[in-house]
Amino acid sequence: MQRRPSAFNANAAEALLDADLQRALGAAEAGFGLKRRKAITGLPEFDALCDQAASIKDHVLDNLDIYLERFEAQVFASGGMVHWCEDAQAAREIILKLCQSVNAKMVTKGKSMVAEEIGLNPFLEANNIKPVETDLGEYIIQLADEPPSHIIGPALHKTKDQVSDLFHAHHPALGYPERLSEGEALVGEARAILRRQYLQADAGITGANFLIAETGSTVIVTNEGNGDMTQIFPRMHIVIASIEKIVPTLEDAATLLRVLARSATGQEMSVYTTFSTGPKRRGDADGPEQFHVVMLDNGRSELLGGNQRDILRCIRCGACMNNCPVYMAAGGHAYGATYMGPMGSVLTPHFSGLKAAQALPFASTFCGKCEAVCPMRIPLPRLMRDLRAEAHAARITPARERLWLALWAWVAGRPQLYHRLSGWGLPVLKFLARGRGRFAWLPLAGGWTRTRDFPAPPGKSFMAQWAARKKPGS
Amino acid sequence: MPPANPHVALFVTCLIDLFRPSAAFAAVKLLQDAGCRVSVPELQTCCGQPAYNSGDKAGAAALAAQTIRHLMEYDYVVIPSGSCAAMIKHHYPPLLADDAARAVAEKTFELTQFLHDVMRYRPAVKTDEKLTYLDSCSGLRELGIQAQPRALLQSPILENDDAESCCGFGGTFCVKYTDVSTAIADKKLNKFAATGAALVTGGDLGCLMHLAGRAARRGMALQFRHVAEVLAGDMDIPAIAGGDK
């Protein structure tokens, strides 16, 4: 599997031959779909909530500068610091500096896609700081040395047997020689190992699902409680978040939380929803001594004024990929990028450049399910179509495809010629089919006939037959 | 009350024109039976959807403008395809941004939608085949077509639990990403086969050709027909990708 978006087609072909991956995807597709449907059926006002959630985010995007400043002021007032980072490198460097300021040798991490986006782990490792992932899925793929294949289920591509093998390869050195195979036992072992890490960590790094402007709070949702321990025990808590995660008020965060878990895992709420406001105060029993929020732009502010702005409403629930036939066939690694599925196919071109990522906006059948399930009303097919148009206009789509399209459009734009050509071509195809009704192979149609027969046409088009019928006397 | 003897333009679609004329003849028969006066504008070709979805907006706009010109003068435009109908109904107006596009969009309908919702038509024929229905995504999600073909068919449909998911066709997607497209088709075909149906029918020829071609390659016994043919009782012509015998 190549980690570049341009390899999507080859990656997908490889993924389709991976029986373990296909089994894992099959289970995920059925599970996510059923749970989401159940959760939504149980909340009649879900649609209205989605409209409200989308309009909260639209309002934020209209007034982003104001809310960002308010957030910073509130973080400062509660004793924390905000660090503004224009790009990934700036974010990595400030996080490293913060870690070095407390002589960090090891840091625990809650799940964060923004940390993936900036490539934080390899950078910390290269600077002699060991990051320990504490989300179970992230912990599994850290052992496997793989990137997440799904934004909320990073190890979704792994089967239980593969996890068992992985633990048995790594855990004996930590004092757990026995091979485990039951899910509960595997979780228990990972938990026991991670518990020790929380107390030894010099800093804890988490992401943020929301940032609340009125209070300067950051919010995370988890199902394992790992995020709480990551941010409470070490001396320093570093939050890494992107600028569009901001919401005006606690009330707004509550509205978004109501659609988030239902869309993501089909839960009414995640098991833990944790609000962090500043460092430990005088009299607090626990909490970090320092609280830092690293705010990443990384090209997002450029999206604000353009036709792709709607993607900034995304709250990373994963519903678009859970309901995407392409994602569920190819898996997340095929996209060769941090973000995958429909939302990733829109975001990746903005991070990697359209030229490098132009395969992704085309990796959709435009079935529209992603838009139908998106709680933030993001018109994902329209955004992908606009990226296709941009790629076409920049002439960076494959030359052969552009040529075919131009030829088709040219002929279809000349109706008389079009109907004359079909009058010549169809009898030839009919003759070649020799009554079998289909072709196993056709010149220039390998993309179709490699896996499918091509239905043979009758010898005359409808338009030609219709014209003949209408002639007087016939 | 359904309109009395409306003048309907049949937009045949390029796929049906070239590969499945029988579906267009069936559509004409149904529309006439429902009380419509049917015309087939001679200079129609393609609605421009392949160009539109491939990013060639200028090419798509040129074809859209040409198509609109030939469809303006009729009471209704009826299309035996959900995705071509959605193209004209939902994508022409923003693409062309003119009154003519909006006016044509307004009076454009997919065939089963038009027969059922506008003409309140019920066909006289019922099929005894074991039927299942392929809801194509554009028709389903952009036009809300789901109940209409089922009501018109008047026969029990052998449903599966995943009827709303894509068949993997996706227009040019099916040749650009052949492997993924085929894998999605296989999932769909397995669901259909598990219902025990002998015949898959649906309103979009692209999806039907893609699935019929894959089923034939896999040697599956499933047959595929456009819903217009089934409704019109035109079952004597070979099924899609089926031979003469």
Side-chain angles (χ1 to χ4, degrees), chain A residues 359 367 388 412 447 451-453, chain B residues 45 53 141 174 177-178 182 217:
Chain A
C367 80
R388 293 181 185 188
T451 59
R452 288 159 291 218
D453 288 354
Chain B
T45 58
N53 282 342
R141 274 179 278 272
C174 80
Y177 296 120
T178 303
T182 305
R217 180 64 56 89

Side-chain angles (χ1 to χ4, degrees), chain A residues 9 29 359 362 365 367 385-386 388 401 412-413 418-419 435 438 440 447 449-453 461-463, chain B residues 14 17 44-45 52-55 57 66 141 166 174 176-179 181-182 187 210 213-214 217 241 244:
Chain A
N9 217 354
E29 184 173 22
F362 283 90
T365 63
C367 80
R385 190 184 288 113
D386 284 348
R388 293 181 185 188
E401 289 169 21
Y418 175 96
H419 293 301
R438 54 186 184 263
T449 56
R450 184 156 61 77
T451 59
R452 288 159 291 218
D453 288 354
S461 73
F462 171 77
M463 298 302 285
Chain B
C14 52
D17 178 41
Q44 57 174 292
T45 58
Y52 184 62
N53 282 342
S54 300
K57 285 204 175 170
Q66 168 184 296
R141 274 179 278 272
C166 179
C174 80
K176 191 173 165 79
Y177 296 120
T178 303
D179 295 298
S181 170
T182 305
K187 276 190 205 174
H210 157 75
R214 178 60 185 166
R217 180 64 56 89
D244 284 346

Side-chain angles (χ1 to χ4, degrees), chain A residues 90 199 215 256 370:
Chain A
L199 295 169
T215 59
L256 289 159
C370 51

